[in-house]
Amino acid sequence: MKILVLNCGSSSIKYKLFDMDRNEVIAQGGIEKIGMKGSFLKLTTQSGEKKIIEKDIPEHTCGVKFIFEILTGSEYGVIKSLSELDAVGHRMVHGGEKFNRSVLLTPEVLEAFAACNDLAPLHNPANLKGVNAVSELLPDIPQVGVFDTAFHQTMPDYAYLYAVPYELYQKYGVRRYGFHGTSHRFVSGEICKYLGIKAEGSRIITCHIGNGGSITAVKDGRSVDTTMGLTPLEGIMMGTRSGDIDAGAVTYLMDKEGLDSTGISNLLNKKSGLLGISGVSSDMREVSAAVEAGNERAALAKKMYSYRIKKYIGAFAAAMGGVDVIVFTGGVGENRYEIREAVCEGMEFLGISIDRKANADIMFGRDGIISTPDSKVKVVVLPTDEELMIAKDTLELVR
């Protein structure tokens, strides 16, 4: 069975085509700058070579159509015709309280999803564009929605509610939803297989850290708390997002800088985090290079980044009554050994002991245990695969 996974953003479409019978990726790539000058498709050939194809792509239907042409074309094609596609799985960002699992995308489901647009005005409409584009080009193909927020719908009310008037939750759905749920679900499930343990009875903290980042407390295989909230802005420090900040500081900055809601959102979402503190970049690789060159603000940014992850690990261990496994994943989690070491340093009181050599040896998509044999807490690096999780959910629903 061949399943196409699409991740549609406001100006981009990422795709992976899976042959589920052989459990392998047979095509992958993405379109950037949809609706802008200089739009292009970047793909990875089956030999691993990167190719860039420039093309004017004014909107998402044209983008999906171009992806279909590439998949079936003579030069880069991997299927003879679109009839070989059995289903399409979509990454859907915000399902609110309406969706706690992946679902077949029916007109009724899409209407309910569209009702969540106010909660994710940049992401949800883009996700819908991808679904509608596929429907226009392949009206009979089954489509499945996999929601970033679904995994966190098991959080108890005392964890997801904000301490604001309860009526605001009832009227507007103002609460903590959490994101990166597909990744947290994938790695928390895979780590149990990896270590040969059962989800039931386990206390796992999954650290999905990259340009965006979140941490989740997973108890008995269920999300019981996570760092992101109503939006992806809450929680740890990220590439360009501030993470946690005093709401009073927000209104203070609005007054001092003369910012409206759009202006303060832009400041906190796009100009803060690693970029805002270091003044160098939102990319940890470039910040690290600046640290090596003696940049003190870059060094401060890295310390803040690691410190905030450490704080949440401690908080979630307390919330679960301890921790058995800590998993690092995502671009930074998988590749920056010094961040993992800094996060775990001084955590011996929790039973965490890091093997520095093993830790330093793991990067570039590799997995491995980085804790010492006598560590009471297993610390593991495990690459995430959200697209595979989406493909598996799609397969299960369309069978």
Side-chain angles (χ1 to χ4, degrees), residues 84-105:
E84 291 185 42
L85 296 179
D86 295 289
V88 179
H90 295 266
R91 180 206 177 202
M92 313 289 273
V93 171
H94 212 311
E97 293 183 322
K98 302 176 188 293
F99 302 102
N100 59 11
R101 61 177 62 87
S102 302
V103 293
L104 279 167
L105 295 176

Side-chain angles (χ1 to χ4, degrees), residues 353-379:
S353 177
I354 292 296
D355 182 328
R356 291 189 175 186
K357 184 180 184 306
N359 180 42
D361 287 343
I362 294 179
M363 59 183 71
F364 306 125
R366 292 178 55 206
D367 57 57
I369 297 171
I370 61 172
S371 50
T372 60
D374 62 345
S375 179
K376 293 180 181 178
V377 178
K378 290 284 187 186
V379 185

Side-chain angles (χ1 to χ4, degrees), residues 9-27:
S10 57
S11 62
S12 66
I13 306 173
K14 296 177 183 176
Y15 70 90
K16 275 190 181 181
L17 179 59
F18 290 85
D19 184 328
M20 300 304 287
D21 296 326
R22 293 187 292 171
N23 199 29
E24 66 180 18
V25 177
I26 56 176

Side-chain angles (χ1 to χ4, degrees), residues 204-249:
I204 300 168
I205 296 175
T206 52
C207 303
H208 176 112
I209 49 176
N211 197 276
S214 62
I215 302 171
T216 294
V218 183
K219 190 173 185 179
D220 300 324
R222 294 154 58 94
S223 170
V224 295
D225 206 345
T226 192
T227 54
M228 286 180 166
L230 175 74
T231 75
L233 182 58
E234 187 181 355
I236 61 173
M237 177 178 172
M238 298 171 237
T240 60
R241 296 184 186 124
S242 65
D244 293 340
I245 183 172
D246 179 1

